[in-house]
Amino acid sequence: MCLLRLILVFLSAILAGYFAWKSIRSDSPKPQDDVSDEKDKVIGKGFWTFVDMASGRYLWRNLKPPSPGAPTIRGDCDVTSYSDLCFSSIISRPGSSNFSSDDVCKAAVEVTIENATDTRHQISKMLLRGSLVPASMRALRECEKQYDLALYNLTSA
């Protein structure tokens, strides 16, 4: 391995570690009854930050210049449980650089409909094969009904 690459990886790890430590410590304190949940969230957040740090994704995400619509999208996605997934799904949409908060919500619903439709299609294919045990078939049929209901509600929204 090239010496410059080792130096770059080392410096990236140090910088990403600093940002990770800073972001973990910046969370506001929670009520006492949620201590175990908060501990699990910090451990999970630390693990995924480490994975991002090892792959260089954390450094790239923090150093690349954001697109003009990114602050609105980032702010709207930060309140979700999976903010990184939300951001990456919406920022890749055409015209996302000019999205308002309403556009971010509409894009989130569109992405959800697309993913739910794909999942519903996969469930249908598995049911058509018929090679599963009866209990699995019943579970898939119930899952199919739930996706149909979810898709109905999403398209009505």
Side-chain angles (χ1 to χ4, degrees):
M1 185 182 267
C2 177
L3 179 62
L4 289 176
R5 182 176 280 192
L6 284 174
I7 292 170
L8 179 64
V9 168
F10 178 73
L11 291 175
S12 296
I14 289 174
L15 189 59
Y18 169 74
F19 285 131
W21 177 75
K22 188 176 172 185
S23 68
I24 287 173
R25 294 289 180 196
S26 68
D27 292 338
S28 60
K30 302 289 184 215
Q32 193 65 15
D33 58 345
D34 291 337
V35 171
S36 63
D37 290 340
E38 183 64 26
K39 187 177 180 182
D40 291 341
K41 288 180 183 178
V42 168
I43 291 171
K45 186 176 181 180
F47 172 76
W48 287 113
T49 301
F50 175 76
V51 169
D52 287 350
M53 184 174 63
S55 68
R57 181 175 168 216
Y58 194 91
L59 184 63
W60 174 254
R61 187 175 53 223
N62 285 302
L63 293 181
K64 74 174 184 168
S67 64
T72 301
I73 296 170
R74 176 59 72 189
D76 290 344
C77 286
D78 278 346
V79 297
T80 66
S81 298
Y82 302 98
S83 59
D84 288 338
L85 178 62
C86 172
F87 183 77
S88 64
S89 297
I90 295 173
I91 198 72
S92 63
R93 310 282 293 179
S96 64
S97 60
N98 300 320
F99 276 5
S100 66
S101 286
D102 289 342
D103 296 330
V104 170
C105 291
K106 289 175 187 173
V109 171
E110 289 171 2
V111 167
T112 305
I113 289 172
E114 290 169 9
N115 289 332
T117 302
D118 290 343
T119 304
R120 169 66 171 78
H121 180 69
Q122 293 299 321
I123 292 170
S124 295
K125 285 175 34 179
M126 292 172 72
L127 285 170
L128 287 175
R129 277 191 236 135
S131 60
L132 300 171
V133 295
S136 295
M137 293 293 280
R138 282 192 304 274
L140 278 175
R141 280 191 203 99
E142 182 60 33
C143 198
E144 183 179 42
K145 289 178 191 175
Q146 294 299 320
Y147 268 96
D148 286 339
L149 179 61
L151 284 167
Y152 172 77
N153 288 329
L154 284 168
T155 54
S156 300

